[in-house]
Amino acid sequence: MRLELKGGKTAPRLLQDLIQYDPRRLPSTGFNILTELPLHDEDEKTAPPQVAWNSCRHSWTLKDAQSSLPRQGQKQDSSTVYIVAAYCTECRSHLELCLDFRGKGAELVPCPKKNWPLHHFIYKPEVSQSHQMVNTATNSGNENAWVDTQRFQCSSPACSAKLTVRFKPPKLTPDWVSLLTDSRLISQRAMKAITGDQERFEGHAIPQPTEVLSNLRQYIYNAMRSETRKIPGNNKKWLLCLGEPCFDLLQYLGFERDGQDWLPPRPQPEAITPIEEPLRINLDDVEKELLVLISKRPVAEKRGGSLQYVPISAMNDLMRALSCMDCMTIRNFLLLDRLTLIFADQQSLQSRNVDLSIDEHPFYAGLGATGDFHDNLITFAYQRQVDFDPTNIPYYLECLQGIAEGRKSETLQTTAAIEASSDKISLKDIRSAYKEIGLEFPAVLLDDDTIIGTFQSRVTDAPRQEAELRRALKVIGQHRSSEKIQQVASNAVSNYEQAIAWLGATEDIDDEFLLSMHCTKVSENPADELIATQAVSIIAHHRNSSALKAWLATGILGETDMDVAHAYNRLEISDRTIDDETILSAFNFHVSEAPSQTNDLRSALTAIAKSKKSKLLQDFLNSGMASSEYPLSEWPVGLENIGNTCYLNSLLQFYFTVKPLRDLVLTFDQHKMEVESESLINKRVGSRKVSRKEVERAQRFVYELQKLFQSMITAANAQVTPEQELARLTLMSSTTEEHIRRQSMLSGHRPSLGEINGRPVFGPLPPLSHAVELDAEMTGTTKSETHHNEETSNDNDADNSSDATLVEAPATEDDDIVMLDQQQQILEDKENLPPTKTVSVRSNTPETQLQPLVETSPSRINEQQQLPDAVRDDAQNKAETALARTAPPPSRPPPFPPRPKPEEQKIATLDEVEIGAQQDVTEVIANVLFQLQCAIKAEFLDESGEQIDQIKKLFFGKQKSYTTNNQGLIRTKEEFISDIKVDVASGPRDIYAALDGAYDVQEVEVGGALEPQYTTISQLPPVLQVHVQRAQFDPEKKASFKSDHHLELKETIYMDRYMDTVDQDLMQRRWECWKWKKDLARLEARRLELTKNNSKMDVSELLASTASYLRQLVEGTAQDEDPIEVSESLLQDIETASSDVKKELQSIESRIKALTTNIHSQFSDLRTIPYRLHSVFIHRGYVSSGHYWIYIYDFAQKMWRKYNDGYVTEVKDTTEIFERDSETRPATPYFLVYIKDELKDQLVDPVCRDIVEAPHESPDAEMIDISDDSQGQPESIELDSFRTDADADQATITIGIAPGWDATRTRNPNW
């Protein structure tokens, strides 16, 4: 059964199909490329043809007199009708495209518009007619007197556009063309005239076909201009070229006999266009066809002729009529004439992931799109097909997935993944599911019971494949909308036999090994833990096994000591060489996940501690904390992991060490924003206004952070535990939190699912797909433009698309990118890694900023930015404020909302923390900075109204971009930045090379032209943050992976080379360096061409080996009867080529070495702006999981410390920070913090301890009154000037410490 696709086509797709549409010659399949969508099956070796082999690829040329064209900038209204008439300069066919906005709905807004950037046309077969004969007086006797009419309607509810496409064959039949161009027939006519009156025709030659065509065209041309003079019957030119043998043709054209003479056609005068009289239209068509025939005649025939025929392409007018001119600026793939195929910009073409020089994949046509659509337009086309033809969603999703894979587009991959996660399935998945079960797709004749029976038979034959078979059955159930099939597909275990089979065990297996099978199942798929435990429970009761029942109750089987192998397996650790801190992290993680199994987990940790003879682990088992060689009063405290929050702990440790920030938090009441003040009305953070609700939430966050900081200072233990509320406020933005709250209130209560280990378990929270979106409030930057003083989205908008939250997906067994080892993955599955999409750190200029799609050039695939949430949030805040002001008072008190039970409230908070834990660390950093700014008072506002405060001055700098157009004019734009994004995707590099990638010159497309753009730093922040982007996508395995390339760090970097400057010498150095890099890239590409092939030899060695082999072959067969002969000159040419390539490679290597040296030393003398490395966030794991920790440098003690959740240890060997990790899954830097060297002692203070012992533990301890310490002015520091043009006099900031805190009381006296 073949699917019947009822989707539509975007305007560009329809135009592209018009180029190949030829109703005279349809393919053998009967497929109509204009009115149908292709259905492509990836399993088919060859796709069926969409057009006939002998169909014409049209070159449409404008017929101006018959057209009513849109004027430049014209807007459609209820009276608008566009007509574009054209003819093909190849086959002489005629086309008329009519776009009519009149009729029902004409008062609405036509396309294109903001959310509908293109017309999306739906075919209307009920009002279309194919090959309809046209019987008029002018068409009498013409076999080509038919017209093909196809009608379409724009699918937008707000657009009244009706499209009619009329295709007409040539007016001149093949017989008439032969009559005018066949030299033999022309000669017969001419000779008859000459022999009839030889004296009169003496000296007249037989006319060439070009002359015949030109004379007939001239007669028609004169007639259309009302020159109706009678043509004498004895006119020599008339008799030689046309005469009586052309009677039928002349009559068709409107010529009439008047005795022996001829009267030319007499069309009615037409003062306006488009012309409407049939005779005039017919003559105009024939004239155009005659011009085509003349243009195709040999050049020798046309010598001496004065006719200048310059056809005008109709493609631009067709695109303008269909309002798709703007969206097609990079592709002039449409033929301007038959001999030329032009792409507007080869550089744009190279930047794309689609090869436009080859035939399009049918998936593009399936979506009604074209191969050069931008990703956003592909998504638009997909959504239109899905909305209009929901029955065939599986096929449209397959098209989207196929295009995303072919383009290697992360944007489309993400869109496809989101669609798949919303219970949509692709046709490819459906076919695969039927194949997995052993059925032929689509199996429409099979009922549900037959399919279920086939599935059960397959499970019986292959029980180990049950999980895969159930997934396939579920897909089939979804496709058939069968609840019965989906119920069977659900992974349920209800009896002993099913439990044994599900675990992959046998009935004679012992209890201990059975638990190993349970552990393996859970390791393969953690989501199956409940089902696996249920299976063990069923087996335990069936066997009446006290050992298994004890394990179910306590997590411990028997009383014997756990062996080491089992212990590592219990903690899900596959690498026994990992350090003790990571083992403790794994232990604490499992305890937090399953508190009821603590005893069993302690047994595992005990066994490992004994085998390693680890004092750290043994001390922990004895006292509950890891020992340190330093007193607690001189050592930072650790932060316990409260569940998937190791990067949160790293972040909190980093913030605690930044003294001005710590002091601000501890003395928050002095900086607190008054929510009742008038200044709240004008408060803008991150380029948008903030609401009172956001300010109050932010202040709760700061108070929670204050509590933690105080605990970190005064705690008598080596570890403290962050509060769940702090984690929630840190990890989740206010917008995400509000979204989850609203979703959870859609129903009265969450259904109870019973209890596990005595704790109630409630139904699931709403889906994560929207809840975990990065909010605009977390982006933390503002912009001010040189030429346009307007508010725009901030720098981190680029990071929004790049650092989208990742949620774990099941991995296949052979996916070595996502999963190195099942047990290792579960150990490291503590955090979600940063995002998959790597984007440029460049900020968009006004010209390159994303505009509505109709105004966007799609040449830069995957580089459009999304509309920032900040814009939506601002609009929403305004709307809510307006509603609050205008709404009338209620007539009665509002009802009390249902109050959740305390346990439900606690679990809901934990769930929100779990959702927030999936945010990327950079998102959390942005959220923290945003909330800190919301919570505190502004010092002043800059020219755009942005709040300038202590946080802004500490963490935000400014960068300026320069774009030069073709006229040499330079456009600049300056904006705030909170971090610098660097990339290590292409290979290992040092920190300077990574930073260069953010500030080197690049070419950007502006207005259809490539222009150079570079960025400089106009203001450096005291605390400089660097985000290392590592997430990549493997198009072959269709999986995301983490780039583990080494980034060589330097303890001191000098930022002089990146600063904005008017120093011409420095700018000259920059341009020189950029030129070297361009040359270096070209040389490296050439080296790759000469060295990379399937063999292990370079091209020079291959040629030399070939020459040697041929010589041996010649010598070895010299004595044979039929020797192999190879010319000596060929052998010498090969050897010469080998030598030339070898010399070229040597030259390339020498030049690469010289260029590399020049690049590295170009700025080595610029060392006036030093920054010192302070913090290194480290990640080990996979693209969607792993573990974070942080290294922080103590400038006073000159030591590095490792903060790994609850354990803070000294780094004895710094190679673990600076050298390449040799592990298969290496630990890599993900976020760096550099501190301005001259301020490092004032800004960084890693150890701040003032331990307060509990009174009952130390009854005789001296009580210290800290309330009167540090009376008077607080200690202060001054940072770099942070100026704006509006407030140039405010040059410094002062951040004080708490008046009641003596932060140095217990510090090392050497500080």
Side-chain angles (χ1 to χ4, degrees):
M1 182 188 72
R2 183 176 179 85
L3 297 179
E4 184 179 358
L5 302 177
K6 297 181 180 179
K9 297 184 177 185
T10 61
R13 175 77 254 171
L14 191 140
L15 282 182
Q16 184 165 320
D17 291 344
L18 278 176
I19 295 176
Q20 303 181 80
Y21 179 57
D22 194 342
R24 300 167 298 177
R25 305 181 184 93
L26 295 179
S28 58
T29 59
F31 179 79
N32 189 319
I33 192 172
L34 183 64
T35 63
E36 299 180 57
L37 297 174
L39 180 62
H40 179 66
D41 187 350
E42 286 288 332
D43 294 333
E44 295 179 358
K45 293 184 179 179
T46 57
Q50 297 183 28
V51 294
W53 65 271
N54 58 344
S55 64
C56 176
R57 183 174 177 86
H58 303 296
S59 179
W60 295 118
T61 302
L62 185 67
K63 293 191 293 188
D64 188 64
Q66 300 182 38
S67 301
S68 177
L69 304 176
R71 298 184 301 275
Q72 191 72 27
Q74 179 181 358
K75 298 294 184 181
Q76 303 94 336
D77 57 32
S78 58
S79 64
T80 300
V81 178
Y82 295 146
I83 298 174
V84 181
Y87 65 101
C88 177
T89 56
E90 289 298 316
C91 68
R92 297 179 289 110
S93 299
H94 298 268
L95 173 71
E96 182 186 278
L97 185 145
C98 176
L99 194 65
D100 191 347
F101 292 90
R102 298 172 299 182
K104 182 179 180 181
E107 70 279 5
L108 300 176
V109 180
C111 300
K113 44 188 173 288
K114 182 177 180 181
N115 296 322
W116 213 287
L118 293 170
H119 285 297
H120 180 253
F121 291 111
I122 303 299
Y123 178 54
K124 296 293 182 181
E126 65 274 9
V127 291
S128 299
Q129 292 178 314
S130 300
H131 221 86
Q132 179 188 18
M133 295 302 298
V134 181
N135 296 317
T136 64
T138 58
N139 290 327
S140 177
N142 188 344
E143 63 187 33
N144 284 356
W146 57 268
V147 61
D148 182 270
T149 303
Q150 308 296 346
R151 301 183 190 275
F152 303 82
Q153 172 73 51
C154 182
S155 65
S156 170
C159 182
S160 62
K162 296 177 288 294
L163 176 67
T164 301
V165 177
R166 293 186 178 91
F167 181 98
K168 295 182 288 185
K171 298 296 180 70
L172 297 177
T173 66
D175 290 341
W176 287 344
V177 172
S178 296
L179 199 62
L180 298 173
T181 60
D182 189 327
S183 298
R184 181 180 60 83
L185 297 178
I186 295 173
S187 178
Q188 289 177 359
R189 293 198 303 271
M191 289 303 298
K192 181 178 179 181
I194 292 173
T195 56
D197 192 349
Q198 294 185 5
E199 181 178 348
R200 188 164 178 267
F201 285 93
E202 183 178 0
H204 284 77
I206 296 174
Q208 295 287 341
T210 299
E211 185 179 354
V212 175
L213 295 168
S214 298
N215 287 336
L216 179 58
R217 183 255 170 193
Q218 189 64 47
Y219 287 126
I220 294 174
Y221 180 85
N222 293 339
M224 293 178 65
R225 281 146 187 80
S226 301
E227 297 179 15
T228 57
R229 290 178 298 177
K230 184 184 298 185
I231 303 173
N234 61 352
N235 183 290
K236 289 185 286 186
K237 182 170 65 173
W238 176 266
L239 291 173
L240 287 172
C241 293
L242 300 170
E244 196 66 24
C246 296
F247 178 85
D248 290 340
L249 169 60
L250 295 172
Q251 188 179 43
Y252 168 74
L253 295 176
F255 289 86
E256 297 178 0
R257 294 294 298 264
D258 183 13
Q260 295 298 317
D261 301 328
W262 287 86
L263 296 175
R266 292 184 294 275
Q268 296 178 2
E270 293 272 356
I272 60 173
T273 57
I275 57 178
E276 297 178 350
E277 184 195 14
L279 177 58
R280 181 172 287 275
I281 291 175
N282 197 50
L283 291 174
D284 187 60
D285 288 348
V286 172
E287 184 198 20
K288 299 299 187 292
E289 292 185 37
L290 290 171
L291 289 171
V292 172
L293 293 172
I294 293 171
S295 69
K296 293 184 177 296
R297 299 305 302 171
V299 176
E301 283 187 18
K302 295 184 282 187
R303 289 176 180 171
S306 59
L307 177 63
Q308 297 294 326
Y309 172 55
V310 181
I312 301 174
S313 173
M315 298 319 302
N316 284 342
D317 295 305
L318 288 168
M319 288 188 285
R320 270 196 293 270
L322 293 179
S323 301
C324 59
M325 188 71 175
D326 291 339
C327 78
M328 301 165 71
T329 53
I330 70 145
R331 66 173 183 93
N332 295 336
F333 69 94
L334 302 172
L335 290 175
L336 301 179
D337 60 61
R338 180 57 179 167
L339 301 178
T340 308
L341 183 62
I342 301 177
F343 288 92
D345 194 329
Q346 289 296 328
Q347 192 67 28
S348 295
L349 179 62
Q350 294 171 5
S351 71
R352 298 169 40 78
N353 294 322
V354 184
D355 187 356
L356 299 180
S357 64
I358 61 176
D359 291 340
E360 275 184 355
H361 195 285
F363 282 160
Y364 287 100
L367 293 183
T370 62
D372 62 332
F373 267 18
H374 187 280
D375 286 354
N376 284 15
L377 287 181
I378 293 291
T379 302
F380 165 79
Y382 166 78
Q383 290 296 341
R384 299 290 69 74
Q385 303 295 61
V386 167
D387 292 344
F388 192 82
D389 187 17
T391 304
N392 292 307
I393 285 177
Y395 179 65
Y396 299 132
L397 180 56
E398 181 181 3
C399 292
L400 180 65
Q401 292 172 339
I403 293 171
E405 178 183 352
R407 285 188 168 194
K408 303 176 178 61
S409 165
E410 294 174 6
T411 299
L412 294 181
Q413 288 279 356
T414 301
T415 302
I418 292 173
E419 289 296 289
S421 68
S422 61
D423 289 333
K424 291 186 177 73
I425 48 177
S426 71
L427 194 59
K428 182 177 181 180
D429 293 334
I430 296 171
R431 293 193 192 101
S432 176
Y434 276 95
K435 185 177 180 180
E436 183 80 22
I437 298 296
L439 297 172
E440 289 291 329
F441 176 77
V444 290
L445 300 179
L446 300 181
D447 58 19
D448 290 352
D449 290 335
T450 302
I451 293 175
I452 292 172
T454 305
F455 159 78
Q456 291 173 340
S457 298
R458 289 278 290 129
V459 170
T460 303
D461 295 339
R464 294 184 180 276
Q465 299 178 18
E466 183 179 357
E468 290 78 11
L469 292 169
R470 287 190 182 276
R471 281 193 288 269
L473 186 65
K474 181 180 179 181
V475 170
I476 295 173
Q478 288 180 273
H479 175 239
R480 296 171 66 98
S481 300
S482 169
E483 293 184 6
K484 185 176 182 180
I485 291 179
Q486 293 189 63
Q487 183 177 5
V488 174
S490 64
N491 201 357
V493 177
S494 58
N495 55 50
Y496 177 70
E497 290 74 21
Q498 289 180 352
I500 289 291
W502 193 91
L503 289 174
T506 58
E507 293 190 14
D508 58 349
I509 201 169
D510 61 38
D511 292 346
E512 184 173 359
F513 194 72
L514 188 74
L515 291 183
S516 297
M517 302 295 291
H518 169 277
C519 189
T520 301
K521 276 286 188 179
V522 175
S523 297
E524 292 174 352
N525 186 5
D528 287 341
E529 183 174 4
L530 287 177
I531 300 173
T533 304
Q534 181 184 4
V536 172
S537 177
I538 292 172
I539 295 171
H541 286 85
H542 180 83
R543 294 181 176 183
N544 195 23
S545 168
S546 58
L548 290 180
K549 290 179 180 179
W551 179 85
L552 289 167
T554 66
I556 301 176
L557 179 67
E559 299 296 333
T560 59
D561 290 338
M562 190 179 296
D563 67 89
V564 176
H566 187 192
Y568 278 105
N569 189 52
R570 183 68 185 87
L571 294 181
E572 296 166 343
I573 299 174
S574 61
D575 181 7
R576 299 192 185 185
T577 64
I578 61 176
D579 55 55
D580 293 346
E581 291 91 344
T582 304
I583 293 174
L584 284 177
S585 295
F587 169 80
N588 284 331
F589 171 73
H590 286 291
V591 169
S592 66
E593 291 290 300
S596 62
Q597 300 179 22
T598 300
N599 291 336
D600 188 43
L601 293 167
R602 283 186 63 86
S603 297
L605 187 62
T606 300
I608 295 173
K610 288 180 179 179
S611 69
K612 291 174 67 73
K613 298 180 180 180
S614 168
K615 183 177 183 300
L616 180 70
L617 297 181
Q618 197 61 55
D619 287 345
F620 176 82
L621 288 166
N622 294 335
S623 63
M625 64 181 68
S627 64
S628 171
E629 60 185 274
Y630 294 92
L632 288 178
S633 61
E634 299 178 7
W635 202 249
V637 298
L639 298 178
E640 291 186 6
N641 192 316
I642 58 175
N644 289 353
T645 57
C646 54
Y647 71 73
L648 171 64
N649 290 341
S650 299
L651 185 61
L652 293 174
Q653 292 283 16
F654 158 58
Y655 284 138
F656 184 80
T657 66
V658 180
K659 185 177 183 299
L661 174 60
R662 185 178 69 221
D663 293 343
L664 183 148
V665 171
L666 293 174
T667 61
F668 173 56
D669 287 337
Q670 299 177 17
H671 311 279
K672 183 178 178 181
M673 175 79 189
E674 295 297 332
V675 295
E676 303 294 342
S677 65
E678 291 294 328
S679 58
L680 182 61
I681 300 175
N682 299 320
K683 189 179 182 69
R684 296 182 64 86
V685 177
S687 296
R688 72 172 177 88
K689 291 185 178 180
V690 295
S691 66
R692 173 173 176 169
K693 186 176 181 180
E694 288 176 306
V695 172
E696 291 173 341
R697 182 189 191 274
Q699 291 177 351
R700 292 200 309 273
F701 159 73
V702 179
Y703 279 125
E704 289 293 332
L705 188 61
Q706 184 184 78
K707 286 164 54 179
L708 175 68
F709 282 3
Q710 290 172 349
S711 179
M712 293 172 71
I713 294 171
T714 62
N717 298 322
Q719 301 174 349
V720 298
T721 304
E723 295 290 338
Q724 291 284 351
E725 179 67 5
L726 173 61
R728 184 181 69 82
L729 293 172
T730 307
L731 296 172
M732 296 186 67
S733 69
S734 57
T735 306
T736 303
E737 176 189 83
E738 184 63 24
H739 177 82
I740 295 174
R741 299 288 190 193
R742 290 174 178 174
Q743 291 292 319
S744 65
M745 293 175 64
L746 292 179
S747 58
H749 66 280
R750 297 168 65 190
S752 173
L753 304 181
E755 294 186 354
I756 295 179
N757 296 326
R759 294 181 60 189
V761 179
F762 296 95
L765 284 168
L768 279 175
S769 58
H770 300 294
V772 297
E773 290 178 356
L774 175 61
D775 301 286
E777 66 184 44
M778 295 166 60
T779 55
T781 60
T782 61
K783 296 182 180 179
S784 56
E785 299 185 10
T786 302
H787 299 302
H788 306 281
N789 187 17
E790 60 182 351
E791 297 170 3
T792 60
S793 62
N794 54 51
D795 169 72
N796 283 355
D797 285 343
D799 205 31
N800 289 358
S801 58
S802 169
D803 287 1
T805 301
L806 295 178
V807 180
E808 288 184 82
T812 58
E813 290 181 358
D814 60 347
D815 193 348
D816 57 13
I817 290 181
V818 177
M819 189 175 299
L820 177 64
D821 179 271
Q822 293 287 350
Q823 293 179 338
Q824 180 72 10
Q825 192 233 17
I826 294 174
L827 163 65
E828 296 181 339
D829 190 11
K830 297 183 64 179
E831 304 298 333
N832 283 330
L833 199 76
T836 61
K837 184 173 180 182
T838 302
V839 297
S840 171
V841 298
R842 297 285 196 275
S843 301
N844 290 330
T845 65
E847 292 81 3
T848 59
Q849 183 71 22
L850 173 63
Q851 301 296 326
L853 288 175
V854 69
E855 301 174 2
T856 300
S857 169
S859 64
R860 304 275 301 187
I861 288 296
N862 302 328
E863 290 189 5
Q864 287 201 15
Q865 313 265 327
Q866 301 298 322
L867 183 66
D869 289 346
V871 177
R872 295 193 291 271
D873 292 342
D874 200 6
Q876 182 178 350
N877 291 338
K878 290 179 180 178
E880 292 176 352
T881 302
L883 181 62
R885 291 176 178 173
T886 59
S891 59
R892 58 181 179 179
F896 288 103
R899 298 181 181 274
K901 297 179 181 180
E903 189 63 25
E904 292 184 20
Q905 181 67 41
K906 179 179 179 181
I907 293 177
T909 301
L910 292 173
D911 285 335
E912 291 182 7
V913 172
E914 184 66 23
I915 294 171
Q918 299 181 57
Q919 304 289 349
D920 170 53
V921 64
T922 54
E923 300 171 7
V924 179
I925 290 174
N927 184 37
V928 169
L929 295 180
F930 174 81
Q931 292 195 92
L932 287 170
Q933 287 190 270
C934 287
I936 64 177
K937 296 179 290 188
E939 295 187 0
F940 61 91
L941 304 180
D942 69 6
E943 63 274 11
S944 67
E946 178 73 9
Q947 170 173 310
I948 304 300
D949 50 44
Q950 297 170 357
I951 299 301
K952 202 80 168 181
K953 295 179 179 181
L954 268 175
F955 294 98
F956 287 77
K958 287 186 178 181
Q959 67 181 18
K960 183 182 290 187
S961 62
Y962 293 82
T963 307
T964 306
N965 64 16
N966 295 332
Q967 289 75 37
L969 298 177
I970 299 177
R971 296 178 300 279
T972 66
K973 184 179 65 174
E974 189 175 49
E975 60 189 355
F976 283 114
I977 56 168
S978 60
D979 60 40
I980 301 173
K981 296 172 181 62
V982 300
D983 179 29
V984 292
S986 59
R989 61 191 61 187
D990 66 15
I991 184 64
Y992 280 123
L995 289 171
D996 287 349
Y999 295 102
D1000 281 350
V1001 69
Q1002 66 172 0
E1003 289 186 326
V1004 296
E1005 184 179 356
V1006 180
L1010 290 179
E1011 300 179 357
Q1013 182 187 85
Y1014 66 89
T1015 305
T1016 62
I1017 300 175
S1018 55
Q1019 174 107 27
L1020 278 166
V1023 181
L1024 179 64
Q1025 302 177 119
V1026 180
H1027 175 200
V1028 185
Q1029 298 176 314
R1030 292 188 173 275
Q1032 303 295 317
F1033 183 79
D1034 188 323
E1036 295 182 359
K1037 297 192 176 183
K1038 297 183 285 295
S1040 299
F1041 70 97
K1042 175 191 171 188
S1043 171
D1044 290 324
H1045 292 307
H1046 178 58
L1047 178 63
E1048 181 184 337
L1049 304 179
K1050 296 184 182 299
E1051 294 193 66
T1052 302
I1053 59 174
Y1054 298 90
M1055 300 300 293
D1056 307 59
R1057 66 186 71 182
Y1058 306 113
M1059 298 304 295
D1060 192 50
T1061 182
V1062 294
D1063 185 348
Q1064 292 302 313
D1065 176 66
L1066 178 55
M1067 288 306 303
Q1068 180 64 31
R1069 282 209 245 179
R1070 285 177 180 167
W1071 283 106
E1072 189 176 34
C1073 189
W1074 293 336
K1075 180 181 181 301
W1076 289 339
K1077 290 181 179 179
K1078 186 175 181 180
D1079 293 342
L1080 181 62
R1082 178 178 53 81
L1083 290 172
E1084 289 176 338
R1086 176 58 178 165
R1087 180 175 62 181
L1088 189 63
E1089 291 177 358
L1090 298 178
T1091 56
K1092 186 176 182 180
N1093 52 66
N1094 293 332
S1095 70
K1096 296 183 179 180
M1097 297 183 288
D1098 59 36
V1099 173
S1100 173
E1101 294 168 337
L1102 282 173
L1103 290 171
S1105 177
T1106 301
S1108 176
Y1109 172 77
L1110 291 176
R1111 286 191 182 279
Q1112 294 175 10
L1113 199 62
V1114 171
E1115 294 172 358
T1117 61
Q1119 304 302 323
D1120 295 350
E1121 294 182 1
D1122 187 17
I1124 296 176
E1125 297 180 357
V1126 179
S1127 67
E1128 180 62 26
S1129 61
L1130 174 60
L1131 294 175
Q1132 290 178 355
D1133 287 344
I1134 295 176
E1135 290 170 345
T1136 300
S1138 172
S1139 177
D1140 291 343
V1141 171
K1142 185 175 182 180
K1143 292 178 181 177
E1144 183 181 1
L1145 276 172
Q1146 292 173 346
S1147 174
I1148 288 174
E1149 292 292 350
S1150 176
R1151 292 164 65 189
I1152 287 178
K1153 184 177 180 180
L1155 285 173
T1156 303
T1157 301
N1158 290 342
I1159 292 170
H1160 287 169
S1161 61
Q1162 180 74 341
F1163 303 103
S1164 59
D1165 60 319
L1166 302 180
R1167 305 168 71 89
T1168 63
I1169 310 178
Y1171 271 73
R1172 296 287 299 276
L1173 184 61
H1174 167 254
S1175 302
V1176 182
F1177 288 75
I1178 296 290
H1179 178 271
R1180 184 198 297 276
Y1182 304 87
V1183 70
S1184 59
S1185 62
H1187 178 56
Y1188 281 98
W1189 66 90
I1190 187 173
Y1191 296 103
I1192 298 179
Y1193 188 67
D1194 189 327
F1195 293 105
Q1197 288 294 309
K1198 296 181 174 55
M1199 75 163 63
W1200 282 95
R1201 295 185 183 92
K1202 178 179 181 181
Y1203 297 71
N1204 192 347
D1205 285 337
Y1207 312 104
V1208 182
T1209 55
E1210 182 181 357
V1211 178
K1212 302 292 186 180
D1213 183 0
T1214 58
T1215 57
E1216 67 179 272
I1217 305 174
F1218 295 97
E1219 298 298 327
R1220 173 76 163 89
D1221 190 345
S1222 60
E1223 294 293 331
T1224 305
R1225 187 64 56 183
T1228 52
Y1230 171 63
F1231 202 82
L1232 313 172
V1233 180
Y1234 281 87
I1235 301 294
K1236 195 165 189 178
D1237 182 63
E1238 64 190 63
L1239 297 174
K1240 64 181 184 298
D1241 295 329
Q1242 298 167 288
L1243 294 176
V1244 176
D1245 185 20
V1247 181
C1248 180
R1249 300 284 274 131
D1250 193 356
I1251 297 175
V1252 176
E1253 298 289 348
H1256 67 278
E1257 294 178 354
S1258 302
D1260 299 327
E1262 179 184 356
M1263 301 300 292
I1264 302 175
D1265 182 4
I1266 62 174
S1267 60
D1268 295 328
D1269 290 353
S1270 305
Q1271 295 295 326
Q1273 295 298 322
E1275 177 186 345
S1276 64
I1277 63 172
E1278 291 191 354
L1279 305 180
D1280 275 353
S1281 61
F1282 198 99
R1283 294 177 179 268
T1284 67
D1285 293 338
D1287 297 276
D1289 59 319
Q1290 301 197 34
T1292 63
I1293 63 171
T1294 301
I1295 302 178
I1297 65 171
W1301 286 99
D1302 181 0
T1304 63
R1305 176 175 294 130
T1306 59
R1307 297 177 190 164
N1308 190 301
N1310 294 326
W1311 297 356

